[in-house]
Every structure is written in structure tokens, then in C-alpha cells.
Amino acid sequence: MSGTEVIAQLREVIEGDQAPLSAPAQAMAEAIRARHGGAVRALIFYGSALREGEAAEKMLDFYVIVDSYPAVHGRGLASLAAWLLPPSVHFMAITDADGNRLRSKYAVVSEAAFLRRASGGSLESMLWARFTQPATIVTDNPELRARLIDTLAHACRHFAAQVTPLLRGPQQPGDIWVRGLCESYRTELRPENPGPRAAQIVARFPERYARLSAILLPQGKDGAPDLPDVGALRRAACAAKWGLRRIIGKPLGALRLLKAATTFDAGLDYILEKVASHSGVKLDVSEAERRHPVLHAPKLAWRLYRAGAFR
């Protein structure tokens, strides 16, 4: 099958994921658009609320794709930080028409950065691994919608290419997706155990991941994936690449966490509280660091790392 045919089939899977937003997600999407106005080009709804069903007490996760960072952050340090280290994380809480209190953690990223990074143009796996999972695209622009569908299709293909050298022989259809998500989670600052979390996500959509495997992986006589042995050298190179992602991913994650102090309503204290709850590491900060967390982010990240805050 040619590369064009593979992408076409992957696009069909991504199209099959698309469905109208639930009432809570729709209300939150409208509130996010209202906050940022014409800067918003599209939203992508994803995460546990999509997988498990929205509830008033569940955080709604979105990626908000914008035309430029200054349109959201203004022309200053926050825009520069967003450009250097996307995405920027924001928080919103609203009350919907039924009186339910809804909360969202949403990430703002430029259209150019999202299209490049999520399609595999980044060593970091955060975007292209995340968007092998089901996600709902929200935009009124049909051309942008088509580009985003194409981007998520390329994310799946790139993911498979980055993970298959680690495996060999007969596999279950979901094995590559569990292994890849686990590897990706190990590059991030996450409180949960990567393995069980990855298995839980894949187990929720067994038919979808089986179809992705049928498109992207060699199949054995029984119709299940059967991966060739790529050799010790290529396998070691692939493992080393994931090792490099872990080395750079956690410090970058720490910087993003501290950068979020400028966009999250609760600021740096909220971020440090989350770090303490996940790792048990408590960090005392000065008033200068609290007022200017971006300027002091490298030093704070290093102090947290030295204290053992990140897995």
C-alpha cells in the first residue's frame, strides 16, 4: 500500500472519531472562543472527558489553535515564551445553562506549530502521541478541518514508525499503541503509572486501534500484527531515541509547568501545589519568583529537578 493510500485510510479512521460535542463541551468551547475572540482558528476536544463521558466535576481538555500568540497573550514575554515552548496552558471555569459548574484546562498553540509538531515534526512525542487517541475537531473552516484531519492521520503513522522497531514477532492489535503511549508518558511529568494508564486508554477503543494496526502494521496469517525483526542496531537506535526524549522531555515539561503560572488563574502557587501533590516535593519561592515566574522558570525547574520532583 502506498503512503498516499495509508494516509487516506487513516483519515477515514479520524473522520470516524468526529461527533457533535456534548452540551458541557459545547458550552466550554463557546466560552473559550468568547475569551479569545477572533484569534481562535479551531479547537480540538480530547482526553478523559471525551473518552469516559463528560460530567460537571470532570475537567474538559481542549487544544485551542490560534493564528498567533500575540493575539492571545499580547506583545510581551508571555508571547515569546509561548513561541519558544508551546503550548501555553490556561484554565477556565463557567456555569452552564443548567447551573452545572464546568472546568477546563486548555492548551493554546499556534496553527503552524500544531500542524508541524502533531504530524511528527518534533522530537518530543507529546503532541503526535497524544493525538493518536480519539479527538474531536471543532472549526467552521473546512480547509483547516481537512488539514487537521490530515495532521492527525500523520500523527498515527509517525507514532507507528517510532514504536515498531521496539517490538518484534506476533502482537495483539493494541500492543503497539500501549507500548508507544507508555513510552511517551515516560517522557512527561505525569503522576500516574504509565503502563496501566496506556493500557486503559487503548482498551476503551479496541476496534479503533485494531483498525489502525491493520492499516499500519504487517499482518500475520491469523490477521494479527506480526512485526519483523529490524535488527539489534536499529532497535537500539530506536530505544536510544526514546531515552533522549525522556532526558529532554522532563526538563521541558518542568519549564512548561512553570510557564503555566503566568496563564493559570492561580499562578505559581497552584503549580507548586500540583507538583507537591504528585511528588511530595515542596518548594519555597521568593516574592520576586512569584511575581515573575517566567524569568525565574529555569532556576525553579532546576531546583525542582534536584529535589526529585519529576519522575
Side-chain angles (χ1 to χ4, degrees):
M1 190 168 16
S2 70
T4 302
E5 292 172 326
V6 167
I7 292 298
Q9 291 194 26
L10 292 173
R11 285 178 60 91
E12 290 180 4
V13 176
I14 306 303
E15 288 282 7
D17 293 334
Q18 305 309 302
L21 294 179
S22 66
Q26 182 64 40
M28 186 59 72
E30 291 173 359
I32 292 171
R33 281 187 178 277
R35 171 182 279 186
H36 299 298
V40 177
R41 298 272 290 152
L43 296 93
I44 303 181
F45 181 49
Y46 74 103
S48 60
L50 184 149
R51 292 192 302 268
E52 301 168 18
E54 299 85 346
E57 69 276 5
K58 187 177 289 292
M59 189 80 78
L60 300 167
D61 291 313
F62 288 89
Y63 260 73
V64 180
I65 298 170
V66 299
D67 52 10
S68 72
Y69 296 118
V72 175
H73 302 297
R75 296 190 178 279
L77 192 58
S79 283
L80 177 61
W83 179 75
L84 289 173
L85 198 63
S88 295
V89 181
H90 297 247
F91 175 79
M92 176 174 276
I94 64 171
T95 301
D96 68 10
D98 296 324
N100 296 314
R101 188 68 170 165
L102 306 176
R103 298 174 303 134
S104 175
K105 173 175 60 65
Y106 65 92
V108 172
V109 63
S110 73
E111 180 181 341
F114 185 85
L115 295 178
R116 178 176 63 83
R117 287 170 173 261
S119 62
S122 171
L123 176 65
E124 279 189 282
S125 61
M126 181 177 65
L127 279 180
W128 48 261
R130 177 164 284 119
F131 287 105
T132 61
Q133 302 173 42
T136 300
I137 296 168
V138 183
T139 182
D140 297 326
N141 185 322
E143 293 181 357
L144 177 55
R145 182 184 185 278
R147 287 198 297 273
L148 291 171
I149 292 286
D150 194 61
T151 296
L152 301 193
H154 278 87
C156 294
R157 185 171 71 169
H158 184 73
F159 180 103
Q162 298 300 304
V163 179
T164 49
L166 300 175
L167 304 171
R168 51 184 162 172
Q171 308 287 321
Q172 294 300 312
D175 287 352
I176 183 176
W177 308 100
V178 173
R179 177 65 182 272
L181 288 175
C182 182
E183 292 289 345
S184 182
Y185 290 159
R186 292 174 66 197
T187 72
E188 300 179 32
L189 300 175
R190 302 181 68 93
E192 68 269 64
N193 189 317
R197 183 60 168 169
Q200 180 187 47
I201 290 171
V202 174
R204 195 160 191 90
F205 304 98
E207 294 180 0
R208 177 185 186 272
Y209 285 107
R211 188 177 176 195
L212 290 175
S213 291
I215 295 169
L216 290 163
L217 306 179
Q219 304 295 298
K221 293 181 180 179
D222 61 354
D226 190 358
L227 304 182
D229 187 346
V230 299
L233 186 61
R234 187 178 170 193
R235 190 161 50 252
C238 183
K241 200 170 184 180
W242 281 107
L244 178 60
R245 291 187 179 108
R246 289 193 292 275
I247 291 171
I248 68 172
K250 291 183 184 294
L252 289 178
L255 290 174
R256 287 190 178 99
L257 190 64
L258 291 166
K259 180 164 66 73
T262 67
T263 53
F264 248 66
D265 289 346
L268 181 61
D269 290 326
Y270 172 86
I271 301 301
L272 294 177
E273 180 184 337
K274 294 293 287 183
V275 169
S277 67
H278 291 164
S279 66
V281 173
K282 296 181 179 180
L283 193 68
D284 293 325
V285 297
S286 68
E287 285 303 315
E289 290 169 335
R290 186 172 281 106
R291 286 196 304 271
H292 304 289
V294 173
L295 287 175
H296 295 279
K299 182 175 70 173
L300 290 170
W302 176 247
R303 287 171 60 196
L304 288 169
Y305 176 77
R306 290 290 301 273
F310 310 128
R311 295 185 181 185

